[in-house]
Amino acid sequence: MTDRTTQTNRLAALGAHLSARGYKVDLIEQGLQVINTQVTPNTTVTITCRARQEDGGRRWFFTASGDPVAEAARIIDAGVDIMGRLADRDHHDGEAGQ
């Protein structure tokens, strides 16, 4: 239970950071869905939070496809990475940056 709460809290903090920058965010069962509504078609990425064994079990943000984004304690770094993924105007079929 604590693990799930920790994950949700970190995703919520990341969501608040991105929402303040104009991105649409929603906590869904799969993680944090982030949508850039400023591009057509809209670009979307889903972010999860889990332990990264290669980093001593520290919590990291990952894309739904498993790409590491940033350590969960580094909200601003994660936000910059995600905003870069969502700026991909050439991607036209679902998740950005895949």
Side-chain angles (χ1 to χ4, degrees), residues 3-24:
D3 186 55
R4 179 72 177 152
T5 301
T6 300
Q7 174 182 334
T8 302
N9 290 345
R10 293 179 189 206
L11 289 171
L14 178 60
H17 174 76
L18 291 167
S19 178
R21 280 144 188 81
Y23 293 85
K24 182 178 178 203

Side-chain angles (χ1 to χ4, degrees), residues 56-94:
R58 291 185 198 166
R59 295 216 155 269
W60 273 64
F61 295 116
F62 291 86
T63 64
S65 62
D67 295 329
V69 173
E71 188 177 345
R74 302 184 65 99
I75 299 292
I76 293 173
D77 291 344
V80 169
D81 180 280
I82 293 164
M83 289 185 281
R85 292 172 191 268
L86 292 173
D88 181 6
R89 298 173 188 263
D90 296 326
H91 189 76
H92 298 285
D93 58 359

